[in-house]
């Protein structure tokens, strides 16, 4: 390699302001569990529903989650570690207790009225 | 717990460099790209004119029946398929696969001249969705330029594949997004736009010095100027989305980079009709879902047109080529938008006409062809969208691959998609820490149009007026790029895996061949040792093609989403 410019470009200030730096993250690696404000429906509408259609009620890029035959451990594991080229891993974004809430949500899924 | 977002990547594959070909790449510079010599394909869009057209006619409507596979190349590790547009210069074909694997191949034989596999941050890639596919490389000054999913741009020696420089441009660990789009080379500068759209960030477009790799400038597509900042209420610019994930082009007459920008985040807003003051991101949200003209040297915004002010439907302008035309002494730029409309501009991006390519559009009633103003727009509130499905589907009336303009027939060949979606709008909060997460804003599902079945079509139209000459239909929308040639041919690689050749004048099918798996990437033509070749990438999978198996079944059920091949045809 002749010359290697590895400087990280100036980040948008606002994003930095609301983000942990890499070093800070290393000191406190577990994202603060915020289970009170955590809203699984919102998580689906924001992130999961992009692939799991109708809030998990129908197949899309990802399979239907309503009535899934998978056991809780499988579901937890899939959400944590994802699957290469299919589903992203969420172990950094979601805490164990949040993932438990997602499992509860998936188990309670019913077809939408109307 | 592991501090994964600091982890800098597993040792993957060390770039193998090996020079075995006598083919000598001459320098590709701006003048050569402008001249668009018939033997080469020098940019993602062919040349700065963005015609996706080859002046070669050795393969033509008379002999296309004799077309057969000359050679193939398997890039390996084609996670989410093979989506790139090859380029070719002096008989050498360059292309990229998933994980930004880059290959230089002898265009006549497929012999590998060199390959380069950058070592990527695999832990990061496991957390990305729009990853790890790569859509192409750029050529210039004896170098090959390629972006990576972990936010870097590489300058490789075009003769050896050796890394000449490497520049980290974006903090993908934090922002999750990286580079999948091909860069653009112009006058000593390499331009590349980051992903954005559904990701809470500010979607920068970068310019880098082609010789040193040093960053020259950065333009923020979200609130990149003081004026634009005022179009994002409640500080929503902090998480606005944007980006410019596909390459634009360069207009040397005005020294301007023309680029299309992505949608704002969340994709779907709950503002209702008062989107200027209510909802997730009150205001017009400049410069998202816009076409912008940036000064090549400074990155300063010269002019723009926001195709969809306050885009509430994810119909961004990052898709779509910039077709540079001249008619009756007037110069035009034709740019398709994901919503299914084709915008016709002058060279300063002032609207000259707008015409619909697809039938099933209802996010607006129409767009004023004189002013570009949206008429009768649908702005949703929280809850289920009941009156009728939203058309087109999130995949767009027009996808990100390119159409083709043929100066011999004067026709623009472009694929359109007829599909819609059901939608349940929900309030979301952008997640930016510890790592940015998707921000969609709705639960949704693909649905047929109110008028009937889902289908796709290739249209042959006048690019300025939109007048249709002929149309070919497909049961499922094709997603690849289109190629037309001076041999009076139009090539369409479809989703089922069939490559079709049509008569450019009337759409009659003259030849087809199975490539064994679905297409969703590029197709080019070039010449090596005096012989014409057609090169197409095959390999399905990713954000749109993953919808095909559950919705269409059939051949898509068994179609791999982690495989791909470059297939090169010539006359027997």
């Amino acid at each position: 390699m002749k010359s290697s410019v590895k400087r990280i470009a100036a980040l948008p200030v606002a994003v930095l302001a609301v983000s942990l730096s890499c070093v800070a993250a290393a000191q406190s690696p577990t994202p603060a569990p915020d289970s009170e404000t955590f809203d699984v429906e919102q998580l689906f509408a924001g992130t999961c529903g992009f692939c799991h259609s109708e809030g998990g009620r129908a197949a899309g890029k990802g399979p239907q989650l309503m009535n899934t035959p998978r056991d809780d451990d499988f579901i937890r594991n899939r959400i944590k570690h994802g699957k290469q080229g299919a589903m992203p891993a969420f172990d950094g974004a979601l805490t164990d207790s949040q993932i438990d809430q997602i499992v509860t949500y998936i188990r309670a899924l019913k077809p939408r009225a109307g | 717990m592991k501090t994964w977002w600091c982890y800098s990547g597993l040792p993957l594959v060390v770039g193998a460099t090996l020079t075995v070909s006598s083919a000598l790449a001459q320098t590709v510079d701006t003048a050569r790209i402008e001249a668009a010599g018939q033997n080469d394909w020098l940019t993602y869009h062919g040349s700065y004119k963005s015609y996706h057209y080859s002046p070669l006619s050795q393969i033509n409507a008379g002999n296309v029946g004799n077309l057969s596979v000359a050679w193939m190349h398997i890039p390996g590790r084609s996670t989410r398929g093979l989506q790139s547009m090859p380029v070719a210069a002096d008989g050498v074909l360059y292309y990229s696969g998933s994980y930004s694997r880059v290959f230089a191949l002898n265009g006549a034989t497929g012999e590998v001249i060199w390959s380069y596999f950058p070592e990527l941050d695999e832990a990061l890639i496991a957390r990305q969705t729009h990853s790890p596919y790569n859509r192409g490389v750029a050529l210039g000054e004896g170098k090959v330029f390629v972006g990576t999913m972990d936010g870097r741009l590489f300058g490789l020696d075009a003769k050896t594949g050796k890394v000449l420089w490497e520049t980290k441009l974006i903090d993908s660990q934090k922002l999750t997004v990286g580079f999948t789009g091909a860069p653009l080379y112009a006058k000593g500068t390499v331009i590349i736009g980051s992903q954005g759209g559904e990701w809470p960030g500010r979607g920068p477009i970068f310019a880098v010095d082609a010789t040193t790799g040093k960053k020259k400038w950065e333009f923020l597509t979200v609130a990149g100027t003081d004026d634009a900042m005022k179009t994002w209420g409640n500080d929503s610019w902090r998480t606005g989305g944007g980006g410019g994930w596909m390459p634009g082009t360069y207009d040397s007459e005005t020294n301007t980079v023309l680029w299309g920008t992505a949608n704002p985040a969340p994709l779907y807003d709950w503002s209702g009709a008062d989107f200027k003051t209510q909802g997730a991101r009150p205001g017009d949200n400049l410069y998202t879902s816009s076409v912008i003209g940036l000064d090549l040297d400074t990155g300063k915004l010269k002019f723009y047109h926001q195709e969809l002010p306050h885009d509430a439907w994810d119909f961004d302008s990052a898709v779509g080529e910039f077709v540079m035309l001249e008619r009756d002494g007037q110069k035009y730029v034709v740019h398709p938008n994901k919503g299914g409309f084709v915008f016709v501009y002058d060279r300063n991006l002032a609207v000259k006409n707008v015409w619909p390519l697809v039938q099933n559009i209802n996010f607006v009633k129409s767009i004023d062809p004189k002013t570009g103003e949206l008429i009768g727009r649908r702005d949703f509130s929280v809850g289920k969208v009941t009156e009728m499905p939203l058309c087109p589907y999130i995949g767009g009336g027009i996808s990100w691959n390119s159409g083709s303009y043929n100066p011999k027939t004067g026709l623009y060949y472009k694929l359109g998609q007829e599909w819609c979606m059901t939608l349940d709008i929900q309030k979301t909060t952008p997640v930016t820490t510890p790592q940015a997460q998707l921000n969609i804003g709705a639960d949704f599902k693909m649905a047929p149009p109110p008028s009937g079945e889902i289908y796709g079509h290739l249209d042959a139209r006048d690019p300025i007026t939109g007048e249709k000459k002929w149309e070919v239909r497909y049961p499922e929308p094709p997603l690849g790029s289109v190629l037309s040639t001076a041999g009076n041919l139009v090539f369409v690689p479809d989703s089922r895996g069939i490559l079709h050749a049509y008569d450019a004048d009337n759409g009659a099918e003259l030849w087809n061949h199975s490539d064994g798996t679905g297409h969703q990437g590029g197709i080019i033509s070039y010449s090596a040792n005096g012989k014409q070749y057609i090169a197409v990438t095959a390999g399905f999978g990713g954000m749109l093609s993953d919808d095909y198996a559950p919705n269409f079944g059939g051949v898509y059920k068994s179609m791999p989403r982690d495989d791909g091949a470059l297939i090169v045809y010539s006359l027997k």
Side-chain angles (χ1 to χ4, degrees), chain A residues 1-31 39-62 80-94 105 112-114, chain B residues 1-6 77 79-80 99 122 126-132 162-171 174-175 198 200-202 206 212-215 218 220 237-238 267 384 393-394 422 424 426-429 432-434 437-446 542-544 546-547 550-551 561:
Chain A
M1 211 183 290
K2 241 202 276 184
S3 69
S4 166
V5 186
K6 284 193 174 148
R7 185 171 59 92
I8 293 171
L11 277 171
V13 174
V15 177
L16 270 182
V18 295
S19 314
L20 298 167
S21 77
C22 197
V23 174
Q27 285 159 355
S28 136
T30 312
D39 177 338
V40 186
E41 295 228 8
Q42 205 189 88
L43 179 76
F44 265 76
T47 303
C48 319
F50 185 56
C51 301
H52 298 287
S53 292
E54 292 183 343
R57 292 171 184 83
K61 289 180 260 293
K80 272 191 173 173
H81 304 296
K83 185 168 176 183
Q84 190 197 43
M87 170 165 159
F90 290 99
D91 54 352
L94 299 167
Y105 164 91
R112 255 188 195 131
Chain B
M1 195 178 138
K2 245 208 323 226
T3 57
W4 51 263
W5 54 88
C6 297
R77 239 189 152 202
T79 309
R80 291 199 162 103
Y99 300 89
E122 300 263 341
R127 290 178 171 78
Q128 296 171 321
T129 59
H130 302 60
S131 171
K162 195 166 125 44
V163 176
L164 299 176
W165 52 257
E166 168 196 339
T167 304
K168 175 95 174 166
L169 289 170
I170 191 164
D171 185 355
K174 183 62 48 195
L175 300 172
E198 38 277 48
R202 295 182 68 190
F206 299 94
T212 62
K214 240 183 109 134
K215 189 173 102 178
E218 169 176 349
L220 295 168
W237 55 271
R238 292 172 187 276
L267 310 191
K384 205 162 175 168
Y393 177 56
I394 189 173
T422 58
D424 189 339
Q426 297 201 28
K427 284 190 187 182
T428 56
T429 312
T432 54
T433 165
Q437 298 293 318
L438 284 173
N439 189 10
I440 307 293
D443 292 332
F444 64 84
K445 189 173 181 331
M446 188 191 289
M543 292 309 108
L544 190 46
D546 281 356
D547 285 325
N551 287 288
R561 259 80 66 71

Side-chain angles (χ1 to χ4, degrees), chain B residues 121-342:
Chain B
D121 182 342
E122 300 263 341
L124 167 66
I125 284 169
R127 290 178 171 78
Q128 296 171 321
T129 59
H130 302 60
S131 171
Y133 46 83
N134 186 275
R135 291 176 175 158
V137 302
L139 302 177
E141 297 180 6
K143 297 183 195 71
V144 179
F145 309 101
V146 68
T148 62
M149 272 317 299
D150 53 11
R152 292 173 292 166
L153 181 67
F154 282 81
L156 310 175
D157 186 323
K159 289 204 178 94
T160 64
K162 195 166 125 44
V163 176
L164 299 176
W165 52 257
E166 168 196 339
T167 304
K168 175 95 174 166
L169 289 170
I170 191 164
D171 185 355
S172 303
Q173 303 291 340
K174 183 62 48 195
L175 300 172
T176 312
V177 295
F179 302 111
T180 50
L184 173 77
Y185 169 85
K187 282 204 174 144
T189 304
V190 189
I191 319 290
I192 191 162
S194 89
Q195 298 173 303
E198 38 277 48
W199 301 93
R202 295 182 68 190
I205 294 168
F206 299 94
V208 165
D209 184 298
T211 309
T212 62
K214 240 183 109 134
K215 189 173 102 178
K216 280 184 159 174
W217 51 257
E218 169 176 349
F219 180 81
L220 295 168
T221 57
V222 171
T225 65
D226 291 345
D227 283 347
M229 187 73 84
K230 295 178 195 135
T231 66
W232 296 85
N234 304 337
D235 277 0
S236 52
W237 55 271
R238 292 172 187 276
T239 52
W245 46 278
M246 287 297 290
T249 197
Y250 172 66
D251 186 350
S252 64
E253 272 175 43
T254 58
N255 198 40
T256 306
V257 175
L258 299 175
W259 214 267
T261 69
N263 53 284
L267 310 191
Y268 304 101
D269 196 0
W270 58 85
S271 63
D274 297 328
F275 66 82
K276 297 260 188 193
T277 56
Q278 303 295 315
R281 38 181 172 84
D284 280 347
N285 307 148
L286 289 169
Y287 301 96
T288 59
S289 297
S290 303
V291 286
I292 58 178
L294 302 175
D295 183 89
L296 176 70
D297 301 318
T298 64
K300 286 248 150 47
L301 183 75
K302 296 166 89 167
F303 39 74
Y304 73 93
H305 175 74
Q306 189 173 34
E307 294 183 337
L308 305 184
H310 192 91
D311 177 357
W313 319 279
D314 186 17
F315 295 148
D316 52 321
S317 308
V319 306
E321 56 277 18
F322 289 82
V323 186
M324 311 288 263
L325 296 174
E326 227 176 306
R327 183 180 290 179
D328 303 330
Q330 261 280 346
K331 292 186 172 180
Y332 296 98
V333 186
V334 175
H335 180 261
N337 171 285
K338 190 177 168 189
F341 288 94
V342 176

Side-chain angles (χ1 to χ4, degrees), chain B residues 82-101:
Chain B
L82 193 51
Q83 310 198 9
S84 77
M85 181 78 64
V87 292
D90 307 301
V92 178
L93 182 146
Y94 304 87
Y95 88 111
S96 59
S98 286
Y99 300 89
S100 300
R101 293 176 163 207

